Amino acid sequence: MKWFEIGLVVLTFATGLVWLLDSLFFAKRRAARGGLLDEEPVVVDYSRAFFPVLAAVLVLRSFVAEPYKIPSSSMMPNLLIGDFILVNKFSYGLRLPVNNRKVVALGEPARGDVVVFKPPHDPEQNWIKRVIGLPGDHIAFRGDTLFVNGEEVRYTPIGQYVGKGRGAEMNGATLLTEHLPGRDHRVLEWIGRAAPAGQGEWTVPEGHYFVMGDNRDNSEDSRFWTQTSFLPEENLRGKAFLIWLNCEGWFCTGSFDPGRIGTSIK
């Protein structure tokens, strides 16, 4: 993804520069000379044709919305393998492409937001999790229960999860509604398993967030990051807000669920 972003920036500026230099200098010389041998060079023709398209794509991906594909089951049951999602790029401020530096501050994540980010221990990738802890929060995970600032989070059991396709790996897990302060959402847990992983307590430092996957027993999230348990604010890419396609494999040969198209991400 990073190399695509770099390539897009380079091509946009290269085609724009060729078009600009030709408009300012070389086009006038050709017009003054006239004649069949002074036709517009092919590189200028292509630059003029592609620059507006590349510039529009760059602006949309960098400052408006960017598409991502869900590669793992860590956000089940809300996001499934094969979901294609859109990420709002201006919810948490406008950031430059490639280096992700914030240039305009517009907002901060709220507890419960589903965010795309670059994990601090692997900044070449883009991951997606849910914001559980805000700066200054004390987060604890004991047994199968989440605690926020000393308060036990309530859960409402829904029943056993039944998935399809690659999501069937979680069949039999308990589907619950987690009443996170300010946001209700569904989670999956293997209730009653001996010594569940990810136990501990954390205090979120300023400028950082504590993130977890909704598939609590199958998510590499803040609970397991050994170098730092927290997501730096500068690693945020945006807020996930819409599923625009669910499809696996070439030409959707693996699975295709039209019912998920247009689903908002909560």
Side-chain angles (χ1 to χ4, degrees), residues 110-113 130-134 137 139 146-148 178 180-181 185 204 209-214 216:
R111 186 180 289 108
D113 283 0
R130 188 178 299 275
V131 174
I132 300 297
L134 303 177
D137 281 349
I139 304 298
L146 178 67
F147 295 80
V148 178
E178 181 176 76
L180 194 66
H185 63 101
V204 186
Y209 298 90
F210 192 89
V211 296
M212 295 175 66
D214 294 338
R216 292 293 160 77

Side-chain angles (χ1 to χ4, degrees), residues 75-79 85-86 110-115 128-131 178 180 182-187 212 214 239-243 260 262-266:
M75 287 299 292
M76 289 175 61
N78 301 299
L79 294 173
I85 65 171
L86 286 177
R111 186 180 289 108
D113 283 0
V114 177
V115 297
I128 184 167
K129 305 292 180 187
R130 188 178 299 275
V131 174
E178 181 176 76
L180 194 66
R183 184 77 58 90
D184 291 350
H185 63 101
R186 298 179 302 164
V187 297
M212 295 175 66
D214 294 338
K239 177 182 178 181
F241 70 97
L242 183 73
I243 299 170
R260 296 186 61 76
T263 303
S264 60
I265 299 172
K266 300 178 180 178

Side-chain angles (χ1 to χ4, degrees), residues 1 66-87 114-117 125-130 166-167 169 213-215 218 239-249 255 260 263 265:
M1 185 65 72
E66 186 172 4
Y68 289 92
K69 182 181 179 181
I70 302 300
S72 72
S73 61
S74 69
M75 287 299 292
M76 289 175 61
N78 301 299
L79 294 173
L80 308 179
I81 298 173
D83 279 346
F84 289 79
I85 65 171
L86 286 177
V87 174
V114 177
V115 297
V116 171
F117 59 91
Q125 295 193 39
N126 290 306
W127 287 15
I128 184 167
K129 305 292 180 187
R130 188 178 299 275
R166 294 174 66 182
E169 67 184 54
D214 294 338
N215 190 353
N218 193 13
K239 177 182 178 181
F241 70 97
L242 183 73
I243 299 170
W244 61 274
L245 181 64
N246 174 271
C247 182
E248 287 187 66
S255 69
R260 296 186 61 76
T263 303
I265 299 172

Side-chain angles (χ1 to χ4, degrees), residues 14 16-35 37-45 47-48:
L17 182 61
V18 169
W19 189 13
L20 177 63
L21 292 176
D22 184 73
S23 299
L24 293 177
F25 303 107
F26 305 114
K28 295 177 180 179
R29 296 180 184 178
R30 290 196 304 273
R33 287 195 299 264
L37 295 179
D38 292 305
E39 293 181 353
E40 184 177 76
V42 173
V43 65
V44 175
D45 185 33
S47 295
R48 188 177 65 252

Side-chain angles (χ1 to χ4, degrees), residues 104-259:
V104 179
L106 297 175
E108 302 296 338
R111 186 180 289 108
D113 283 0
V114 177
V115 297
V116 171
F117 59 91
K118 292 186 175 298
H121 54 282
D122 195 357
E124 296 299 314
Q125 295 193 39
N126 290 306
W127 287 15
I128 184 167
K129 305 292 180 187
R130 188 178 299 275
V131 174
I132 300 297
L134 303 177
D137 281 349
H138 183 77
I139 304 298
F141 194 68
R142 307 189 193 109
D144 300 307
T145 304
L146 178 67
F147 295 80
V148 178
N149 295 324
E151 297 292 327
E152 180 178 343
V153 174
R154 294 190 305 109
Y155 295 85
T156 301
I158 299 174
Q160 281 195 340
Y161 180 74
V162 178
K164 56 184 178 180
R166 294 174 66 182
E169 67 184 54
M170 295 303 298
N171 283 354
T174 302
L175 181 64
L176 310 104
T177 297
E178 181 176 76
H179 301 283
L180 194 66
R183 184 77 58 90
D184 291 350
H185 63 101
R186 298 179 302 164
V187 297
L188 283 178
E189 290 200 44
W190 293 104
I191 300 296
R193 276 190 170 180
Q199 308 296 293
E201 298 188 18
W202 307 264
T203 299
V204 186
E206 288 298 318
H208 293 74
Y209 298 90
F210 192 89
V211 296
M212 295 175 66
D214 294 338
N215 190 353
R216 292 293 160 77
D217 295 300
N218 193 13
S219 173
E220 185 182 345
D221 51 43
S222 286
R223 297 171 292 169
F224 304 100
W225 298 349
T226 55
Q227 294 179 343
T228 173
S229 297
F230 310 106
L231 169 66
E233 188 277 337
E234 59 265 24
N235 287 38
L236 288 167
R237 299 283 290 175
K239 177 182 178 181
F241 70 97
L242 183 73
I243 299 170
W244 61 274
L245 181 64
N246 174 271
C247 182
E248 287 187 66
W250 290 102
F251 306 107
C252 298
T253 53
S255 69
F256 175 62
D257 186 355

